[in-house]
Amino acid sequence: MKQTLATLPVLRAKLKEERSKLRCIMVCCGTGCRARGGMQVADAIRDELSAAGLAGSVPVELTRTGCHGWCEQGPIVTFEPEGVFYTQVKPEKAKEIVASFQSGEPVSKLLFRDTKTKRSIVTYHEIPFYSKQTRWAMRNVGRISPTEIGQYIARDGYKALEKVLSGMTPEDVISEVEKAGLRGRGGGGFDAGRKWRSCRKAKGDVKYLICNGDEGDPGAFMDRSIMEADPHGVLEGMIIAAYAIGAREGFIYVRQEYPLAVEHLGMAIASARENGLLGENILGTGFSFDIRIARGGGAFVCGESSALMRSIEGKPGEPRAKYVHATDRGLFDRPTVLNNVETFINVPLILDRGAAWFAALGTDGSKGTKAFSVVGKVNHNGLIEVPMGMSLKELIFDVAGGIPKGRTFKAVQTGGPSGGCLPEALLDLPVDFDSLTEAGSMMGSGGLIVMDDRNCMVDVARYFIHFLVEESCGKCVPCRDGLKQLLEILARITKGQGREDDLDKIDSLCFVLTEGSLCALGKSAANPVLSTVRHFREEYEQHIKDHFCRAGVCRDLCRYEITDACTGCTLCAKACPVECIAGDRKQVHVIDQSKCTRCGSCFDVCNFGAVEVRSAR
Amino acid sequence: MESKLMHVFPGKCTACRNCEQACAFAHLHEGRPTRSRIRADADPQLREGKHVLVVCYQCDAAACVAACPANALWRDTETGAINHIAERCIRCGSCVAACPFGNMRWEPLAQHPSKCDLCKGDPVCVRFCPTGAIQYK
Amino acid sequence: MIRLTIDGRRVESRNGEYLLTLARRAGIEIPTLCHHEAVEPAGACRLCMVEITRPQWNGWSKLVTACLYPAEEGLIVKTSTERVLRTRREVLELLLARSPRAEAVRRLAAQYGILEPKYAVDQEGDNCILCDICTRVCATHVTGAISRVNRGVAKKVATPFDEASDVCVGCMACARSCPTDAIAFSQDGATRAIWGKTFEVVPCTVCGAPTVTREQARWMAQRKGVAEEDFYVCDVCKVAKTGLSCRKVMW
Ligand SMILES: Cc1cc2nc3c(=O)[nH]c(=O)nc-3n(C[C@H](O)[C@H](O)[C@H](O)COP(=O)(O)O)c2cc1C
Ligand code: SF4
Ligand code: SF4
Ligand code: FES
Ligand code: FES
């Protein structure tokens, strides 16, 4: 039924009332948990519930949620409102889970075990990974069924829209967002309110609004999680933005690889239309706005604003020079606002709770919270949302659980492939837009890749440049040919064919990339190289001059040797995939260098530090 | 200002080809009459005084202009000539095919069209015609 | 009127003009490889970079491509600062390593003191520098038979699926507009081959000399609603015909 400004609050109150009496079993059916059988778990629990005679009888509900952002623990099952948290659930466990739901006794084998204290934890409120987070953008992630609009509405959904349409002018909305200091979460950190204002001021009666859900950073998945788990939050933010800038038509650009996000967004759009929240005459106020989904081909560069707009227009996804702003001439040459998924989902919060509330979170220059996708050598890979300004150290060591296997932290790459690597000395850096940029990296969309002493910084730089070579659109010379040359040099260095003048050439190439490239992909492509040269120059020099890769990654530049510290435990010999380690139990083992492939398995398994990385020479 | 026009007096042309020499020299810096933009079309029977000069009419509704897809042919408001703007020309050759009178030619070396530009208002062919068979007034 | 300075010279501009146009009008040379007056600028070669600033920027400045940057009131443009020159040299280094045999690239590089590329030379590198002039020319003015395909280093100019194009008219505008002569074609009197397609160059109906391809004539005829046959007479025979009709009228 189409809601109006008068009926929506009534509906919300009714839903809230109903839902407050409910107890729910929530099964994560996001992309990660699905891949590990989340749907089967949900079905098994459903069958178990009906067998136990609980199905349908109020007040129990089985909810399939979207991605919690902690897929490594999936499939995840939680009980609400208690917060009981089960990890890595298999369908066979359905019976025990339902029993536990009834009795209140936790299934200890399914509980999360803290890596440090080795203690089992019952509810997610007590798990540091959750308790140290401040989930505002991800407020509904894992807490509601993304396919049921009622659950969103019951959690104060569409309340901000209701408030906006009940008397705020577009001007009011824009100044509220400006006052909140909301900066774009997609990369550049541009002031969202200011962008909206220029678009509102731009001449033209047709204006467009686009949500950037391309999320091309490898390893990043906060936008996917939000679109999958809370699609209405994104829609609400967009509808408010459209009202502010005067757009009647909007697009959500989602990459091809996110079918579930597309499905959930599609269902959300349909139900928002049915409920009079989207389409003609929204909430009976006369304001009209509709949203379509545009599916991207999955090229990294298509996340860049001008390339994205070309792609929606059906043209090749190539960037254009931005001397004329998209807010004046964007999609189909009309004034256009493009914002990231996470930017939009913050909008209802700002309008509902007020700019002052939002601005109180975070730092002077960067307000609110930011979701990070933390991956690599940390105990907990997953999505972490914290207030801006938290130090990298706290984020990595306290929230994400620190470095596994007692190894030492070496660097963290922030901002995805075009961000930079920051060393240990900068761990106290607060994560906010300006601090990261100043340190030679960037916030980007919030990817954090943590590296330990087993990561070679030259190889890391080579890896990112390789990625960018593959993803450069190839339109402009510095990016297309410069990255190719850069990769050639880095690949040579990692193969032990580095030359004396390579660092100078690297410097020249970084210069021309930064100064000469057309779009931000090329302009920022030098960051991984510049930052590793800056903070880990001696590693480059060791590669070039001493032919030595201390991390034991570049196979031509290292060899593994077993020292006298060997206790003869035979663990390494068992781990070696090519069986080239010989030695009797309790005797010092020896590696046959002629067969060794330098995979480092022995190094990784040795508990006594008896395996050493040495120069290949 | 009403621009001046080329006036051709067929009876006066002796097919001496001075005009062709002058034109080729002025535009190509070499005296190759075959590349001239004005042509002295001699009577095949070489009957005295029955030769004709063929040079661009700078037509009002010019076929070359209509055929050019790149807007590389523009009328000079001062001289009235249709000028070929080399920088805008994509060298497709459409104009050459389109001109019904053969006044748009193809430069095989430079690979672009060439046509009479009225020498910016002072046509050399006129200056070099010994008999006044072509006049600009 | 917009007023700005380029290399200290005061220039004036009507709306919508690009810095490159203004600089050239003022006699200031800026090298370009992807610029062509017949098409919209692309900003692909990055050679035309200039440095811009404003008094209120407090010494901050940035590089922009002159071929794409519209004139703005009060702008201070410098076309040959050390920053500009270094960028230009590095771009030329990259182009020379990519297309070491392209005459236009070699000439420009030499002008900037680069005789041998310092980066690894692409031995298979053809002359195409992906300036995009050919594809823009064809798309804007002819039939859009070619486009740039693939991404990044694999990018190239091609017909769809590398097959003989069904819309190419064989006019050769692409090949003739290419600054580095990178587009392969062959022709003899009666035929012309380009982009994997062989065209008949229709012989002059009077003397038999080659005129235009049948496809181009058809395309022209269609655009202008005239008879295709009109195009099959060579310019020499057209002159003769003009002469003859003159004589008929006169005598
Ligand atoms: C190469 C490249 C890739 C990008 N990819 C994304 C992306 O995947 N998602 C995104 O939101 N923004 C991406 N951006 C940033 C967008 O260009 C744009 O700044 C952003 O979507 C604007 O939204 P915001 O102001 O809300 O951040 C990318 C930028 C570049 C240069
Ligand atoms: S910088 Fe790279 S991605 Fe951007 S336009 Fe140039 S080639 Fe394309
Ligand atoms: S050759 Fe040049 S002038 Fe002639 S039609 Fe083609 S673009 Fe126009
Ligand atoms: S899909 Fe379940 S936590 Fe990500
Ligand atoms: S001429 Fe401006 S970028 Fe090529």
Side-chain angles (χ1 to χ4, degrees):
Chain A
M1 190 197 94
K2 293 233 191 273
Q3 303 295 329
T4 64
L5 283 178
T7 62
L8 185 61
V10 181
L11 173 72
R12 183 177 304 109
K14 186 171 140 255
L15 287 166
K16 267 194 174 170
E17 167 73 14
E18 275 171 25
R19 298 200 63 80
S20 68
K21 296 189 196 124
L22 278 181
R23 282 186 70 212
C24 305
I25 299 184
M26 304 211 152
V27 184
C28 179
C29 291
T31 299
C33 292
R34 254 179 209 214
R36 297 176 173 207
M39 292 298 267
Q40 288 84 332
V41 171
D43 291 348
I45 293 180
R46 180 200 57 209
D47 296 345
E48 210 46 63
L49 278 174
S50 56
L54 283 169
S57 73
V58 227
V60 173
E61 189 183 80
L62 173 70
T63 302
R64 293 169 171 84
T65 71
C67 175
H68 282 245
W70 207 10
C71 310
E72 65 168 27
Q73 301 289 338
I76 292 173
V77 175
T78 56
F79 298 166
E80 294 288 353
E82 299 87 345
V84 174
F85 186 83
Y86 291 135
T87 70
Q88 304 185 8
V89 178
K90 302 226 156 41
E92 305 86 82
K93 300 287 179 191
K95 208 182 193 81
E96 286 173 65
I97 287 177
V98 172
S100 131
F101 185 64
Q102 283 172 301
S103 68
E105 266 313 296
V107 188
S108 58
K109 265 183 289 179
L110 295 176
L111 291 177
F112 171 75
R113 194 180 297 272
D114 191 290
T115 27
K116 280 183 200 144
T117 61
K118 306 273 184 260
R119 209 169 50 86
S120 292
I121 302 178
V122 179
T123 69
Y124 62 77
H125 307 296
E126 304 156 85
I127 301 176
F129 181 80
Y130 282 97
S131 64
K132 299 210 165 168
Q133 295 198 34
T134 309
R135 286 192 162 185
W136 280 117
M138 291 164 61
R139 57 197 176 273
N140 292 326
V141 163
R143 311 289 293 271
I144 58 169
S145 163
T147 55
E148 282 171 46
I149 193 169
Q151 298 198 17
Y152 178 72
I153 294 176
R155 282 179 65 90
D156 287 339
Y158 292 111
K159 199 168 146 202
L161 177 66
E162 194 183 299
K163 179 169 162 190
V164 164
L165 294 184
S166 309
M168 288 179 81
T169 63
E171 186 56 37
D172 295 341
V173 176
I174 293 178
S175 27
E176 196 70 6
V177 173
E178 271 176 345
K179 262 188 267 163
L182 176 64
R183 293 174 68 172
R185 303 301 200 234
F190 194 78
D191 191 291
R194 228 168 88 201
K195 198 188 267 185
W196 297 7
R197 185 176 296 285
S198 354
C199 186
R200 166 139 208 103
K201 274 198 273 181
K203 285 191 202 83
D205 35 358
V206 177
K207 293 179 183 172
Y208 293 110
L209 182 75
I210 310 175
C211 172
N212 190 342
D214 191 55
E215 197 160 61
D217 289 11
F221 64 109
M222 41 267 157
D223 294 348
R224 190 205 82 202
S225 168
I226 291 173
M227 290 185 287
E228 277 180 10
D230 192 12
H232 283 287
V234 181
L235 298 190
E236 188 179 354
M238 287 182 71
I239 302 166
I240 294 171
Y243 175 75
I245 65 168
R248 287 183 52 104
E249 216 178 324
F251 295 84
I252 307 181
Y253 188 86
V254 193
R255 63 174 27 221
Q256 202 73 33
E257 290 94 325
Y258 286 177
L260 197 61
V262 171
E263 187 187 322
H264 287 181
L265 284 167
M267 290 165 82
I269 289 172
S271 60
R273 281 192 198 128
E274 275 163 30
N275 284 279
L277 295 157
L278 197 61
E280 293 295 318
N281 195 14
I282 292 173
L283 289 177
T285 60
F287 165 60
S288 303
F289 173 65
D290 211 345
I291 296 177
R292 272 187 282 166
I293 297 178
R295 301 188 68 171
F300 177 61
V301 72
C302 285
E304 193 277 340
S305 60
S306 58
L308 184 149
M309 290 175 202
R310 300 296 85 73
S311 172
I312 295 182
E313 288 168 3
K315 299 185 185 139
E318 274 182 4
R320 265 196 207 164
K322 285 195 252 168
Y323 303 143
V324 179
H325 294 289
T327 46
D328 284 319
R329 257 175 53 201
L331 185 65
F332 300 112
D333 284 337
R334 310 284 192 167
T336 305
V337 160
L338 170 76
N339 278 126
N340 169 260
V341 170
E342 197 185 332
T343 315
F344 280 123
I345 204 151
N346 273 300
V347 171
L349 282 176
I350 293 170
L351 274 306
D352 185 22
R353 294 169 174 258
W357 170 85
F358 188 84
L361 289 160
T363 65
D364 276 355
S366 309
K367 303 296 185 194
T369 58
K370 175 80 192 84
F372 293 93
S373 165
V374 185
V375 296
K377 307 286 183 58
V378 276
N379 276 313
H380 301 310
N381 281 234
L383 296 186
I384 294 178
E385 184 181 342
V386 293
M388 298 262 194
M390 182 183 266
S391 75
L392 277 167
K393 192 184 254 155
E394 218 179 327
L395 218 164
I396 296 167
F397 288 88
D398 297 346
V399 192
I403 317 295
K405 297 188 203 152
R407 304 225 96 93
T408 44
F409 170 90
K410 187 182 213 171
V412 56
Q413 162 94 4
T414 77
S418 24
C421 279
L422 304 173
E424 199 189 350
L426 292 176
L427 270 182
D428 287 323
L429 204 71
V431 276
D432 61 55
F433 291 108
D434 307 319
S435 309
L436 288 174
T437 309
E438 236 165 77
S441 183
M442 58 185 209
M443 177 79 95
S445 56
L448 286 184
I449 304 173
V450 181
M451 293 170 253
D452 66 8
D453 52 358
R454 285 286 279 150
N455 288 102
C456 163
M457 300 319 284
V458 185
D459 189 61
V460 164
R462 186 201 56 78
Y463 168 81
F464 284 117
I465 298 304
H466 181 82
F467 174 86
L468 292 166
V469 163
E470 300 278 310
E471 296 298 330
S472 156
C473 83
K475 175 171 178 171
C476 71
V477 178
C479 178
R480 181 188 64 229
D481 292 300
L483 281 173
K484 183 182 128 192
Q485 295 290 351
L486 202 49
L487 180 62
E488 193 266 342
I489 294 175
L490 291 170
R492 262 200 297 102
I493 297 179
T494 58
K495 287 204 196 97
Q497 296 152 10
R499 300 180 196 139
E500 287 286 329
D501 64 349
D502 277 349
L503 284 174
D504 292 339
K505 283 189 185 160
I506 287 178
D507 182 64
S508 294
L509 288 166
C510 290
F511 174 85
V512 71
L513 271 166
T514 313
E515 291 284 19
S517 295
L518 190 158
C519 85
L521 187 150
K523 278 190 208 295
S524 60
N527 284 346
V529 181
L530 282 175
S531 62
T532 47
V533 171
R534 179 160 141 201
H535 299 300
F536 302 92
R537 192 178 181 98
E538 77 287 356
E539 254 187 76
Y540 278 86
E541 284 168 353
Q542 261 176 350
H543 276 74
I544 297 172
K545 296 196 187 117
D546 310 335
H547 291 255
F548 179 38
C549 172
R550 61 167 93 161
V553 171
C554 303
R555 297 187 177 196
D556 297 314
L557 296 178
C558 67
R559 102 193 117 92
Y560 288 91
E561 280 202 10
I562 301 177
T563 66
D564 290 346
C566 174
T567 62
C569 74
T570 74
L571 215 54
C572 58
K574 283 186 202 127
C576 177
V578 293
E579 296 176 1
C580 71
I581 302 180
D584 293 330
R585 178 165 278 282
K586 304 230 166 117
Q587 295 294 309
V588 172
H589 282 44
V590 186
I591 300 175
D592 179 351
Q593 297 296 340
S594 66
K595 283 199 208 140
C596 172
T597 60
R598 293 159 180 77
C599 70
S601 302
C602 50
F603 184 95
D604 291 333
V605 295
C606 182
N607 290 320
F608 306 97
V611 183
E612 270 188 5
V613 186
R614 303 239 174 99
S615 163
R617 283 203 178 144
Chain B
M1 178 192 91
E2 191 62 18
S3 43
K4 294 201 244 178
L5 294 173
M6 285 283 218
H7 293 264
V8 173
F9 301 91
K12 294 189 179 172
C13 178
T14 60
C16 73
R17 301 191 187 275
N18 271 2
C19 56
E20 291 183 352
Q21 282 279 359
C23 177
F25 207 84
H27 292 103
L28 301 165
H29 309 288
E30 54 178 323
R32 286 197 305 151
T34 48
R35 305 292 354 125
S36 160
R37 296 162 184 195
I38 183 168
R39 294 283 181 90
D41 186 60
D43 177 350
Q45 274 101 52
L46 283 175
R47 282 172 297 183
E48 198 72 26
K50 301 224 162 159
H51 310 299
V52 181
L53 283 168
V54 181
V55 66
C56 176
Y57 301 123
Q58 322 292 357
C59 317
D60 279 342
C64 60
V65 175
C68 177
N71 281 332
L73 295 166
W74 281 86
R75 192 175 299 274
D76 184 322
T77 44
E78 297 217 330
T79 61
I82 293 171
N83 280 344
H84 171 244
I85 317 292
E87 294 78 26
R88 285 198 61 95
C89 172
I90 63 168
R91 311 204 259 168
C92 62
S94 301
C95 48
V96 177
C99 174
F101 311 110
N103 285 325
M104 185 60 92
R105 303 216 174 81
W106 191 252
E107 272 312 321
L109 269 184
Q111 291 281 306
H112 64 58
S114 77
K115 75 173 293 298
C116 169
D117 59 357
L118 295 175
C119 297
K120 297 197 177 74
D122 182 15
V124 282
C125 50
V126 174
R127 271 194 272 146
F128 281 83
C129 179
T131 64
I134 179 152
Q135 294 170 27
Y136 187 57
K137 52 189 187 187
Chain C
M1 243 349 153
I2 298 167
R3 272 169 281 263
L4 58 156
T5 69
I6 305 183
D7 288 348
R9 248 175 276 178
R10 265 180 250 278
V11 294
E12 293 196 337
S13 163
R14 273 166 285 126
N15 232 345
E17 285 182 301
Y18 295 113
L19 295 182
L20 180 66
T21 318
L22 298 183
R24 290 198 166 159
R25 197 190 297 150
I28 297 166
E29 194 34 50
I30 296 175
T32 61
L33 275 175
C34 72
H35 176 79
H36 194 296
E37 292 286 343
V39 288
E40 286 293 311
C45 78
R46 321 303 290 169
L47 278 173
C48 67
M49 293 245 131
V50 294
E51 193 167 344
I52 58 167
T53 186
R54 290 173 176 282
Q56 62 268 34
W57 288 357
N58 291 322
W60 187 77
S61 64
K62 63 175 176 180
L63 296 191
V64 297
T65 41
C67 68
L68 266 171
Y69 201 93
E72 283 170 4
E73 181 68 37
L75 208 62
I76 300 168
V77 184
K78 293 187 182 137
T79 70
S80 47
T81 61
E82 190 37 51
R83 191 171 164 200
V84 166
L85 295 179
R86 181 171 178 207
T87 310
R88 209 171 274 163
R89 272 197 300 270
E90 289 298 334
V91 168
L92 284 167
E93 285 279 4
L94 290 171
L95 284 174
L96 194 60
R98 175 191 176 87
S99 300
R101 286 171 292 276
E103 202 29 60
V105 174
R106 295 178 66 90
R107 206 171 41 233
L108 257 178
Q111 251 176 40
Y112 282 80
I114 306 162
L115 301 174
E116 288 302 320
K118 69 176 169 191
Y119 299 120
V121 168
D122 187 352
Q123 291 305 342
E124 272 121 63
D126 59 14
N127 280 359
C128 175
I129 55 166
L130 290 164
C131 70
D132 199 25
I133 289 178
C134 54
T135 53
R136 279 180 285 156
V137 158
C138 188
T140 319
H141 300 304
V142 198
T143 55
I146 46 173
S147 60
R148 288 173 307 156
V149 297
N150 304 339
R151 211 194 301 146
V153 277
K155 190 162 229 155
K156 61 171 187 174
V157 174
T159 53
F161 310 106
D162 277 323
E163 281 165 15
S165 155
D166 45 6
V167 294
C168 175
V169 296
C171 73
M172 300 262 290
C174 54
R176 291 179 187 138
S177 311
C178 176
T180 54
D181 293 328
I183 298 176
F185 62 88
S186 65
Q187 55 185 349
D188 56 37
T191 61
R192 175 186 291 171
I194 189 165
W195 298 117
K197 191 168 166 186
T198 304
F199 296 87
E200 179 202 357
V201 183
V202 182
C204 171
T205 46
V206 183
C207 73
T211 59
V212 283
T213 68
R214 196 169 296 283
E215 286 78 359
Q216 183 175 358
R218 278 199 191 132
W219 168 71
M220 289 170 62
Q222 233 168 35
R223 275 176 72 232
K224 294 297 164 194
V226 286
E228 170 191 335
E229 286 68 30
D230 291 357
F231 303 121
Y232 300 144
V233 186
C234 74
D235 58 340
V236 178
C237 293
K238 281 194 278 198
V239 167
K241 204 174 118 213
T242 311
L244 193 67
S245 42
C246 262
R247 275 194 291 278
K248 275 203 188 122
V249 176
M250 303 283 310
W251 298 286

